[in-house]
Amino acid sequence: MSNSGRLRIIGRRLLQSIPVVVLSTFIVFGLLKLVPGDVAVTLAGDNASDQRIAEIRELYGLNQPFFLQYGSWLWKAAHGDLSNSLISNEAVLTSIQRCLPHTLLIVVLALLTAMLVGIPLGIAAATKPGSWIDGFVMAIASLGVAVPNFWLGMLLVAFFSLQLNWLPATGAVSLMKDPWASLSHAILPAVALASGGIAEVARQLRSSLVEILSSQQVRTLHAKGLPPSSILWRHGLKNVSVNLLTVVSLLANRMLAATVVVEAVFAIPGMGGLIVNGAMNRDFPVVQGVVFTMVLIVVTLNLLTDILYSVLDPRISS
Amino acid sequence: MTTIDLGKRVLRRRDILALMGGAAVTGALGLPAWAQDAKKGGVLKVAAPANPSSLDPATGGAGSDHSILWTMYDTLVEWDYETLKPKPGMAKWAFPDAKTMVLDIATGIKFHDGTPMDAEAVKFNLERNRTDQRSNVKPDLSSVEAVEVTGPLQVTLKLKNPDTALPAILSDRAGMMVSPTNIKALGNETDRKPVGAGPWKFVRWNDNEIIVVARHDQYWRQGRPYLDGIEFNIIPENATALRSVVAGQNDMAFQLPARLKPVIERAKNLETVTSPTLYCIQLYLNYARSPLDNIKVRQAINFALDRDAFVKAALNGLGEPARMTLPSSHWAFNKDVAGMYPNNPEKAKQLLAEAGYKDGLELTIGGYTDQDSVRRGEVIQDQLGKAGIRLKFTRGTIAEISAQFFATEKKFDLLVSAWTGRPDPSMTYALGFDKGAYYNAGRTADPELSKLIQESRVSEDLTKRAEVFAKIQKFTVENALSAPLAFQFELDALSAKVKGFKPNLLGKPKFGNISLG
């Protein structure tokens, strides 16, 4: 596919993402308004009275019609202003700029860990199906899927932070400010988050690789006298790379969501804490802002995946 | 722990601690540690349980804000840590007559921006608090008719009606003085740039992450504060907060749930602090409609509850069984009504039968989803079940469930929640039981009760006020207008180097006595 063709696809996909963003923020806004609970009550505080709550609705425009409230949020968002938190009055964009790097760092580290550990495990298992290595890898994989990441996180903290004192137990440091401290804070949460991912990558890779390696095509390659390593690397892995990409891209999306829990366990001030706090208090500008950003990230990830598909397998074009 | 019946309040408090078998509270035993060796300097790192709603005392609303606000704002009135009796803060007060309150401000107080904390500044603050449309403390000052400057350091409040709750009210948000210069410059953007006259000044606030304050060099109290600064790391998950203290990343975590006490005690180098608070875990009752409009059903609920067992089962013993909305160490506690509802399921059944529910009845109840709330709910469900009261639970977030119960929907007959306490008991009764009060789900009140609540604000003499509060408590307990369960004790974890911390009855830590050894 030519470069211009690829650009056209990118352009088209970006345009397609606009309705996705609008629809998803609209649905979230609707949900926040539908579920019981009212930010005006939170704003009125401990000494709330019916009269004060009514005043606050008026003051913050919370008594305006549903579509008007959503419309004014969307209009501002389209102009790059994600409004301020209704509760703390911090600009939502400021919150996101501060929180997103913490979350992304953990997700990227976790994704790398999942691949760096999961791929060798998967290959080892697939090349000797039925052997003890295979059994071992599959046992680890089942365990990895079964163990909840927040629980693993607590175990990791208990051992590596509280017992051995090697790594910090809580918090996060900006990568720009102090790269080393930042990484040392991110290692444990990333490992906790990666456990399920390692398992998934290893399992998926094994099953698709086993299928390829037992195919007639590979039998022919063996018959031709190709060495097993060249069959594995040049023919086997190349064939499963598209599958692997699908797994990894889905994993990335899932990990973005799973950080909510891991962040709470490690007290990381990331996107998870932001949206949970926002949703609890019905602070809808914050929730909307986080959803907006996450949708953009997921859309970009999917777009990137699609482009990589066409690179890995030229038969996949539009 | 059963009955605690000792004469003096401080003794009682000490004894509660001794009975608990908990570690000693440095500030409460013998000579206060801070008086002996308070070293200056150092930054205290604190795990704080919640992001503040605002750093402007007038516009905020969450009860968890106070501990952070007090670092930056001094109040006109303060209180005694053990009993919450009001005492002078930045100002002394007097009531020359029932409808006049005079405030005499201490000399030489300056806000962090250099603005003098004088009569003009106090007038500005009180006017703002009682009239600004963004102010959440307007109702607190509703008895004030006019604020007059009667001297460079003297302000006179003209009152619409006698209001002796004002000293306590001025120890809360309404008495936290902000710099007028700053407020005038900021307009409506006052939430995030606080300037007060407290021991520390504001440095930084990142939502859900951190708040930093640093020493105010011109602080009016000589030799204070000891700490160069405080760093509040906001960690809502309390097990994680405690882990951060165990790992040495923070020096202190406060307002921890009772279930974490063994964890603190297991950790090396950590000190456990427990102390009584006003935080009252209770069942709110919507008594404006059937079936709870029937006093017998309400009394049956109160007889069915086993408060001693509740403290053991739901609070790991870390609390005081609640017989009314005030704990036994409070100056207005009425011990005559404390024994009104001993645990008696048979009596409860009999009352239900008299009310026409021979085979028991089903009540709807709201509760929250966090671990501790669920546990409380289960204990209550079991206890009421033994008297034939079957509970149908709906659980959700605090915002969701409490709005369904208190606001317009009026869902559920009962709500299991807590009353966080107020500096003056009249605020508690006005906000929770008076006619039209938000925390009175049914909004109805007996005129006699309303009259008593007003009367509680007439006399300045605490003994006389205590007599009125005794009547109020008798009324609310006799009529079973709520079902108090337990006063939760404060539980804090301190690293060994934190010296001089004194807990208070309000259960919201102040950091002014702390030094780092």
Side-chain angles (χ1 to χ4, degrees), chain B residues 25-180:
Chain B
V25 181
T26 33
L29 294 173
L31 256 182
W34 50 266
Q36 297 162 357
D37 54 344
K39 228 175 80 184
K40 260 197 161 185
V43 173
L44 181 76
K45 291 183 168 191
V46 182
N51 195 45
S53 58
S54 163
L55 290 183
D56 178 347
T59 63
S64 48
D65 297 350
H66 288 72
S67 281
I68 292 166
L69 292 175
W70 279 321
T71 63
M72 290 171 266
Y73 300 104
D74 267 14
T75 45
L76 293 173
V77 176
E78 290 173 10
W79 29 249
D80 179 61
Y81 278 45
E82 274 97 7
T83 60
L84 289 184
K85 272 185 196 159
K87 65 175 195 186
M90 291 195 292
K92 290 191 178 80
W93 74 90
F95 288 95
D97 62 75
K99 285 188 174 180
T100 312
M101 183 190 191
V102 177
L103 290 163
D104 284 302
I105 304 152
T107 49
I109 307 179
K110 280 201 160 66
F111 289 105
H112 304 151
D113 60 2
T115 310
M117 213 314 269
D118 56 9
E120 288 296 340
V122 172
K123 181 181 156 72
F124 175 88
N125 270 278
L126 295 180
E127 292 290 9
R128 171 171 186 258
N129 288 344
R130 75 189 191 94
T131 56
D132 193 295
Q133 61 163 357
R134 294 174 68 244
S135 165
N136 270 341
V137 289
K138 276 186 281 187
D140 287 0
L141 297 173
S142 58
S143 61
V144 177
E145 193 169 44
V147 184
E148 290 164 10
V149 173
T150 43
L153 291 174
Q154 193 187 63
V155 172
T156 303
L157 308 185
K158 296 279 179 225
L159 308 180
K160 290 174 203 156
N161 45 277
D163 189 358
T164 49
L166 275 175
I169 285 170
L170 294 179
S171 74
D172 208 322
R173 286 180 180 277
M176 295 182 191
M177 294 291 107
V178 302
S179 162

Side-chain angles (χ1 to χ4, degrees), chain B residues 21 33 41 63 67 95 135 140 191 212 225 236 239 300 307 321 404 458 491 500 507 511:
Chain B
S67 281
F95 288 95
S135 165
D140 287 0
D191 294 339
V212 182
R307 295 166 168 91
Q404 284 181 328
V458 172
L491 175 66
F511 303 93

Side-chain angles (χ1 to χ4, degrees), chain A residues 36-38 41-50 52-53 55-56 59 84-85 87-90 95 98 102 154 157 162 165 168-170 185 264-267 269 273-274 277 280-282, chain B residues 51-54 59 61-63 133-136 138-140 188-189 191-192 205-209 235 237 240 243-244 246-247 249 397 399-400 403-404 409 420 422 427 431 436 438-439 443:
Chain A
D38 186 345
V41 176
T42 313
L43 283 168
D46 281 355
N47 294 356
S49 62
D50 292 327
R52 181 67 190 148
I53 292 168
E55 265 177 37
I56 286 189
L59 200 62
N84 287 9
S85 156
I87 311 268
S88 76
N89 209 12
E90 184 172 65
S95 310
R98 196 179 56 239
H102 294 315
M154 288 186 211
V157 170
L162 305 184
N165 234 333
T170 54
H185 275 89
V265 170
F266 289 91
L274 200 60
N277 209 22
M280 293 272 242
N281 290 321
R282 308 285 181 266
Chain B
N51 195 45
S53 58
S54 163
T59 63
Q133 61 163 357
R134 294 174 68 244
S135 165
N136 270 341
K138 276 186 281 187
D140 287 0
N188 274 346
E189 304 300 313
D191 294 339
R192 305 189 65 87
W205 174 19
N206 291 347
D207 265 15
N208 301 313
E209 183 184 346
I235 308 182
E237 175 60 40
T240 305
R243 274 202 296 279
S244 76
V246 177
Q249 289 179 282
T397 62
E400 183 185 333
Q404 284 181 328
E409 271 183 88
T420 53
R422 292 294 182 279
M427 296 160 94
L431 291 165
Y438 183 74
Y439 294 104
R443 304 285 191 270

